[in-house]
Amino acid sequence: MKSKKYAVADSGNCVACGTCILECPKGAIDIVKGCYAFCDSALCVGCGKCAKVCPVGCISIIERGAQQ
């Protein structure tokens, strides 16, 4: 069963530091082309650990089905 929440990264503000990748327990985050983080909603469990450690605050935890 999927979590009711998942992470979304704001690619415009992400600095691609990789801190979120190290914190994610499910391996749901990757850095795309060395430029920004992408959160795979199919793997994400919505724990929020990535959002807590992001130094620029570009990761949000949202409800599934919510408008992005």
Side-chain angles (χ1 to χ4, degrees):
M1 181 164 122
K2 287 186 179 180
S3 169
K4 293 181 180 180
K5 297 181 180 184
Y6 67 99
V8 175
D10 177 355
S11 61
N13 291 322
C14 181
V15 295
C17 67
T19 303
C20 55
I21 293 173
L22 298 174
E23 194 66 27
C24 181
K26 296 296 182 178
I29 305 174
D30 197 10
I31 300 295
V32 177
K33 298 181 182 179
C35 297
Y36 60 89
F38 172 77
C39 306
D40 184 340
S41 63
L43 296 175
C44 181
V45 295
C47 67
K49 290 180 179 183
C50 56
K52 289 178 186 170
V53 299
C54 179
V56 294
C58 74
I59 300 177
S60 301
I61 305 300
I62 65 170
E63 295 283 332
R64 289 195 188 274
Q67 296 291 335
Q68 291 186 28

